[in-house]
Short mmCIF file of all heavy atoms in Angstrom, two decimals:
data_model
loop_
_atom_site.label_atom_id
_atom_site.label_comp_id
_atom_site.label_asym_id
_atom_site.label_seq_id
_atom_site.Cartn_x
_atom_site.Cartn_y
_atom_site.Cartn_z
N SER A 624 101.59 -37.32 29.74
CA SER A 624 102.12 -36.15 30.42
C SER A 624 102.36 -35.00 29.44
O SER A 624 102.00 -33.85 29.71
CB SER A 624 103.44 -36.52 31.12
OG SER A 624 104.03 -35.39 31.69
N HIS A 625 102.97 -35.32 28.28
CA HIS A 625 103.24 -34.28 27.28
C HIS A 625 101.94 -33.71 26.70
O HIS A 625 101.85 -32.51 26.43
CB HIS A 625 104.12 -34.84 26.16
CG HIS A 625 105.56 -34.96 26.54
ND1 HIS A 625 106.09 -36.09 27.14
CD2 HIS A 625 106.61 -34.08 26.44
CE1 HIS A 625 107.38 -35.91 27.37
NE2 HIS A 625 107.73 -34.70 26.96
N SER A 626 100.96 -34.58 26.50
CA SER A 626 99.68 -34.13 25.96
C SER A 626 98.99 -33.18 26.93
O SER A 626 98.46 -32.13 26.54
CB SER A 626 98.77 -35.32 25.68
OG SER A 626 99.34 -36.18 24.74
N LEU A 627 99.00 -33.55 28.21
CA LEU A 627 98.37 -32.70 29.23
C LEU A 627 99.06 -31.34 29.29
O LEU A 627 98.41 -30.29 29.37
CB LEU A 627 98.43 -33.39 30.59
CG LEU A 627 97.79 -32.66 31.76
CD1 LEU A 627 96.32 -32.37 31.50
CD2 LEU A 627 97.95 -33.46 33.05
N ALA A 628 100.40 -31.36 29.21
CA ALA A 628 101.14 -30.10 29.28
C ALA A 628 100.88 -29.22 28.06
O ALA A 628 100.92 -27.99 28.14
CB ALA A 628 102.64 -30.40 29.38
N LYS A 629 100.57 -29.85 26.94
CA LYS A 629 100.36 -29.10 25.69
C LYS A 629 99.16 -28.17 25.79
O LYS A 629 99.15 -27.10 25.16
CB LYS A 629 100.18 -30.07 24.52
CG LYS A 629 100.05 -29.40 23.16
CD LYS A 629 101.32 -28.66 22.78
CE LYS A 629 101.18 -27.96 21.44
NZ LYS A 629 102.38 -27.19 21.07
N TYR A 630 98.14 -28.55 26.56
CA TYR A 630 96.94 -27.73 26.68
C TYR A 630 97.27 -26.32 27.17
O TYR A 630 96.70 -25.34 26.71
CB TYR A 630 95.92 -28.38 27.61
CG TYR A 630 95.13 -29.49 26.97
CD1 TYR A 630 95.56 -30.81 27.09
CD2 TYR A 630 93.99 -29.23 26.22
CE1 TYR A 630 94.86 -31.84 26.49
CE2 TYR A 630 93.28 -30.27 25.62
CZ TYR A 630 93.72 -31.57 25.76
OH TYR A 630 93.02 -32.58 25.17
N GLY A 631 98.19 -26.25 28.11
CA GLY A 631 98.54 -24.95 28.67
C GLY A 631 99.24 -24.04 27.68
O GLY A 631 99.28 -22.82 27.87
N ALA A 632 99.82 -24.63 26.62
CA ALA A 632 100.56 -23.84 25.64
C ALA A 632 99.75 -23.52 24.39
O ALA A 632 100.25 -22.84 23.49
CB ALA A 632 101.83 -24.60 25.23
N LEU A 633 98.50 -24.00 24.34
CA LEU A 633 97.68 -23.79 23.15
C LEU A 633 97.26 -22.33 23.01
O LEU A 633 96.78 -21.71 23.97
CB LEU A 633 96.42 -24.66 23.19
CG LEU A 633 96.59 -26.16 22.97
CD1 LEU A 633 95.25 -26.87 23.15
CD2 LEU A 633 97.19 -26.48 21.61
N ARG A 634 97.44 -21.77 21.81
CA ARG A 634 96.90 -20.45 21.52
C ARG A 634 95.43 -20.59 21.12
O ARG A 634 94.97 -21.67 20.74
CB ARG A 634 97.69 -19.79 20.37
CG ARG A 634 99.16 -19.58 20.69
CD ARG A 634 99.84 -18.78 19.58
NE ARG A 634 99.74 -19.49 18.30
CZ ARG A 634 100.62 -20.41 17.89
NH1 ARG A 634 101.64 -20.75 18.68
NH2 ARG A 634 100.49 -20.98 16.71
N GLU A 635 94.70 -19.49 21.20
CA GLU A 635 93.27 -19.53 20.88
C GLU A 635 93.06 -20.00 19.43
O GLU A 635 92.14 -20.77 19.16
CB GLU A 635 92.63 -18.16 21.07
CG GLU A 635 91.12 -18.18 20.85
CD GLU A 635 90.46 -16.84 21.09
OE1 GLU A 635 90.15 -16.53 22.26
OE2 GLU A 635 90.25 -16.11 20.10
N SER A 636 93.91 -19.56 18.53
CA SER A 636 93.78 -19.98 17.13
C SER A 636 93.94 -21.48 16.98
O SER A 636 93.29 -22.12 16.14
CB SER A 636 94.81 -19.25 16.26
OG SER A 636 96.13 -19.55 16.68
N GLU A 637 94.81 -22.08 17.80
CA GLU A 637 95.01 -23.52 17.76
C GLU A 637 93.79 -24.25 18.32
O GLU A 637 93.38 -25.30 17.77
CB GLU A 637 96.26 -23.90 18.55
CG GLU A 637 97.56 -23.45 17.90
CD GLU A 637 98.77 -23.80 18.75
OE1 GLU A 637 98.88 -23.26 19.87
OE2 GLU A 637 99.58 -24.62 18.31
N VAL A 638 93.22 -23.73 19.38
CA VAL A 638 92.00 -24.33 19.95
C VAL A 638 90.89 -24.32 18.90
O VAL A 638 90.18 -25.30 18.70
CB VAL A 638 91.55 -23.58 21.22
CG1 VAL A 638 90.22 -24.14 21.72
CG2 VAL A 638 92.61 -23.70 22.31
N LYS A 639 90.75 -23.19 18.21
CA LYS A 639 89.72 -23.08 17.17
C LYS A 639 89.95 -24.10 16.07
O LYS A 639 89.02 -24.77 15.62
CB LYS A 639 89.72 -21.67 16.58
CG LYS A 639 89.16 -20.60 17.51
CD LYS A 639 89.18 -19.23 16.82
CE LYS A 639 88.55 -18.16 17.72
NZ LYS A 639 88.54 -16.84 17.05
N SER A 640 91.19 -24.22 15.63
CA SER A 640 91.49 -25.15 14.55
C SER A 640 91.26 -26.59 14.96
O SER A 640 90.73 -27.40 14.20
CB SER A 640 92.94 -24.96 14.10
OG SER A 640 93.23 -25.79 13.00
N LEU A 641 91.67 -26.93 16.19
CA LEU A 641 91.45 -28.28 16.69
C LEU A 641 89.96 -28.63 16.79
O LEU A 641 89.53 -29.70 16.39
CB LEU A 641 92.12 -28.44 18.06
CG LEU A 641 93.65 -28.55 18.06
CD1 LEU A 641 94.22 -28.25 19.44
CD2 LEU A 641 94.07 -29.95 17.60
N ALA A 642 89.17 -27.71 17.36
CA ALA A 642 87.74 -27.97 17.56
C ALA A 642 86.98 -27.93 16.25
O ALA A 642 86.18 -28.83 15.95
CB ALA A 642 87.16 -26.95 18.55
N VAL A 643 87.20 -26.91 15.45
CA VAL A 643 86.42 -26.70 14.22
C VAL A 643 86.86 -27.65 13.10
O VAL A 643 86.05 -28.37 12.53
CB VAL A 643 86.51 -25.24 13.75
CG1 VAL A 643 85.82 -25.07 12.40
CG2 VAL A 643 85.87 -24.31 14.79
#
Side-chain angles (χ1 to χ4, degrees):
S624 175
H625 283 89
S626 299
L627 181 58
K629 184 64 181 177
Y630 281 94
L633 288 176
R634 299 186 300 274
E635 185 178 276
S636 61
E637 291 178 294
V638 174
K639 288 181 177 181
S640 184
L641 285 162
V643 174

